[in-house]
Amino acid sequence: MSAPRRLANAVLGSLPAAVARPAYDRRLVRPGIVHLGVGAFHRAHEAVHTDDVLATGDLGWGIVGASLRSPDTRDALAPQDGLYTLASRDGAGERLRVIGSGAGLLVAPEDPQALLAAMADPQVRIVSLTVTEKGYCHSPASGELDEAHPDIVHDLGAPNAPRSAVGFIVEAIARRRAAGVPPFTLLSCDNLPANGRTLKRVVSRFARLRDADLGRFVADEIACPSTMVDRIVPATTDADRTAIAGALGVEDAWPVVTEPFSQWVVEDDFGAGRPEWERSGVTFVKDVDPYELMKLRLLNGSHSTLAYLGYLAGHETVAAAMAAPGFAKLVRNMMDVEVTPTLAGLEGVDLGAYKDDLVARFRNPALRHRTWQIAMDGSQKLPQRLLGTIRDRIASGAPFARLALGVAAWIRYACGTDEKGAPIDVRDPLAATMRERARDADTAGGLVAAFLRLEQVFGTDLAAEPVFARAVETALAGLLRDGAAATVVRVAAS
Ligand code: CS2
């Protein structure tokens, strides 16, 4: 039997007519972007908007994708000439499109010098990142570089062979500078507040720790526009692979499944030029912060709340939680009553319609977005998703029982045992610390006190705020007493 055919340049012409494919000659594409973190999110977002730009004939923006840890993406996509399928799905059906903007795949730990060489290439004018919150090696509460982080300690000791995104970026900047090559623009596409400024803060600090002059250069010369990125992209499953191979007529080792919706709001500050992403529906603005706050607090804050409560109540996916009693009402009330009053300065944005869309997107029956996936790395996510909103509510003397329930559900989840006594696979840089704290406390009050001492999550202000501790303790006591399903129904009705 011959091996099943695989997606590749050579088979593009024979794909079914309904499958969209690169509308340009891939052989003429030149690399213009190096992207750190070629996971599913990047491949459903920046890579797609860039594919649109390539199709306009501007072929100087191919993306060299780098994985900072595992070779999996390269191993899956290199035999496919970097091609993969994007499946966008909702209740109305599915659209398939093969994305061709990839212009090379690198695996940093295998060959750090190859990645540094790609980043130092004068043709490359943008280095973008989706390395997730923890990839910034910073304290989520303060936004400052964590100078004790093992990767940062390593990279300061061996700047020519870095491990962290921050280490690669600063070494590449230094090499370009030494070679007289103009700097690239740094483009963060992670869900962090003021992600450009956060990135700038950590790379400037790291550069200064290497050498004062390099620190000044990074602070003065490197453009780091902030961006708000939005597209829901669940992890690909084997069932997705099988279904997509069936529709394509060839195998695709790593397709990406997503929703039809995609949004990207970007500050227009690119010293070395940029793709005309506006031709692909990207919005360029002067100040992204209000959009970022809206998205982090409304979408991601709701998502995390749904993830912890949903997981504890036994729901595997967000859509399943949304269909269960109380969940949809709880998150909508949280958005309307507790989050919306903390948002300002969004001219021309219809927040009511935005929230209606969010509820519909969370309900999308065609996406199997696991609550467990969103629950990952809560210690890195909570500050910008729930805690900032809570700070604003406390400052204005307003109640925040639903947000406090989100925080309590995270604590309950991070204790590591579900409501039936089964272990939870808690994936979080602080997982071990949190498990220890949970072991030493057995009441809601004891647990809240133990978790509030996590300064990198709560800072020193919230830890010392009795109103906050009381609200979270009340919510956690309810969860421990009644379980998540009943608590959601009760709080939704309040
Ligand atoms: C999710 C996000 O996994 C998570 O934490 O909340 O990845 C979310 O799907 C995206 O931010 C949507 O734009």
Side-chain angles (χ1 to χ4, degrees):
M1 231 176 71
S2 63
R5 284 195 314 154
R6 185 91 173 256
L7 182 61
N9 287 334
V11 305
L12 282 175
S14 52
L15 296 176
V19 179
R21 65 208 80 183
Y24 49 90
D25 185 346
R26 293 191 77 217
R27 289 166 307 184
L28 303 180
V29 172
R30 299 175 308 279
I33 299 173
V34 169
H35 184 80
L36 308 180
V38 267
F41 178 74
H42 164 74
R43 294 198 282 125
H45 194 263
E46 180 182 339
V48 179
H49 289 296
T50 307
D51 193 66
D52 285 342
V53 173
L54 296 175
T56 68
D58 185 0
L59 298 176
W61 297 106
I63 302 176
V64 176
S67 301
L68 293 180
R69 294 187 204 297
S70 127
D72 295 357
T73 306
R74 189 271 321 270
D75 292 350
L77 300 189
Q80 305 181 175
D81 301 323
L83 294 168
Y84 59 91
T85 315
L86 181 82
S88 30
R89 295 180 183 159
D90 62 12
E94 177 180 75
R95 293 166 67 95
L96 298 179
R97 168 174 171 185
V98 174
I99 303 299
S101 50
L105 286 155
L106 301 170
V107 182
E110 280 178 11
D111 191 352
Q113 299 313 318
L115 175 53
L116 287 166
M119 294 169 82
D121 177 348
Q123 290 189 98
V124 166
R125 284 149 290 162
I126 294 174
V127 170
S128 55
L129 304 79
T130 46
V131 292
T132 80
E133 297 83 350
K134 62 178 180 277
Y136 289 74
C137 301
H138 72 318
S139 156
S142 69
E144 300 290 339
L145 181 72
D146 175 3
E147 294 174 25
H149 192 293
D151 289 351
I152 295 302
V153 173
H154 171 275
D155 290 359
L156 285 171
N160 293 324
R163 277 185 196 151
S164 70
V166 177
F168 273 104
I169 288 167
V170 173
E171 177 61 12
I173 291 171
R175 289 188 187 187
R176 290 176 82 104
R177 187 184 182 209
V181 174
F184 45 59
T185 298
L186 272 179
L187 189 64
S188 167
C189 300
D190 283 294
N191 285 315
L192 296 168
N195 53 10
R197 274 193 300 290
T198 300
L199 179 58
K200 176 106 178 201
R201 195 178 318 112
V202 298
V203 293
S204 308
R205 176 70 190 153
F206 181 90
R208 201 158 58 234
L209 290 171
R210 273 185 58 172
D211 135 30
D213 184 45
L214 184 60
R216 259 190 309 276
F217 180 79
V218 172
D220 294 346
E221 303 295 334
I222 304 295
C224 293
S226 284
T227 70
M228 179 267 253
V229 295
D230 188 7
R231 194 165 210 185
I232 293 177
V233 189
T236 306
T237 65
D238 285 340
D240 296 325
R241 287 186 178 85
T242 307
I244 290 165
L248 288 179
V250 293
E251 302 280 332
D252 178 350
W254 210 333
V256 178
V257 175
T258 188
E259 58 181 344
F261 183 95
S262 184
Q263 189 176 19
W264 199 5
V265 185
V266 185
E267 281 170 5
D268 204 355
D269 175 20
F270 290 76
R274 62 163 174 82
E276 278 187 87
W277 278 313
E278 55 272 66
R279 299 181 74 171
S280 166
V282 175
T283 311
F284 285 90
V285 297
K286 260 189 118 111
D287 178 12
V288 144
D289 287 0
Y291 295 89
E292 185 73 29
L293 213 61
M294 167 186 84
K295 192 260 170 173
L296 287 170
R297 292 184 173 190
L298 288 172
L299 188 157
N300 298 108
S302 303
H303 239 184
S304 289
T305 303
L306 283 166
Y308 298 117
L309 289 167
Y311 185 97
L312 292 168
H315 302 301
E316 198 187 340
T317 64
V318 172
M322 287 294 285
F327 277 87
K329 182 142 189 283
L330 173 76
V331 290
R332 184 65 201 233
N333 286 347
M334 183 171 114
M335 292 194 236
D336 287 341
V337 181
E338 299 183 2
V339 182
T340 302
T342 72
L343 303 174
L346 278 157
E347 269 164 47
V349 175
D350 178 347
L351 273 182
Y354 183 78
K355 290 182 283 190
D356 290 346
D357 273 357
L358 285 184
V359 171
R361 292 169 65 198
F362 294 158
R363 285 189 195 275
N364 186 340
L367 285 190
R368 291 192 52 76
H369 200 186
R370 293 178 68 197
T371 48
W372 178 81
Q373 184 186 347
I374 300 165
M376 271 189 244
D377 293 341
S379 69
Q380 314 293 301
K381 293 174 175 172
L382 248 60
Q384 53 276 16
R385 295 182 176 206
L386 296 173
L387 302 180
T389 322
I390 290 176
R391 281 192 178 87
D392 288 353
R393 296 292 286 170
I394 293 175
S396 60
F400 54 94
R402 302 169 186 91
L403 294 158
L405 178 59
V407 178
W410 168 67
I411 294 177
R412 173 70 189 80
Y413 178 93
C415 287
T417 311
D418 74 13
E419 293 184 354
K420 296 196 173 105
I424 302 175
D425 180 7
V426 177
R427 301 276 176 95
D428 193 297
L430 297 187
T433 314
M434 298 193 296
R435 227 182 358 260
E436 266 166 42
R437 305 244 159 149
R439 247 201 316 271
D440 298 341
D442 52 5
T443 60
L447 279 170
V448 170
F451 273 74
L452 257 52
R453 287 200 304 275
L454 296 170
E455 197 180 316
Q456 53 289 52
V457 180
F458 295 103
T460 45
D461 60 333
L462 276 182
E465 175 54 71
V467 174
F468 178 61
R470 259 200 312 278
V472 179
E473 186 182 330
T474 304
L476 184 57
L479 279 178
L480 292 171
R481 188 185 57 236
D482 304 330
T487 303
V488 167
V489 170
R490 176 167 48 75
V491 178
S494 63

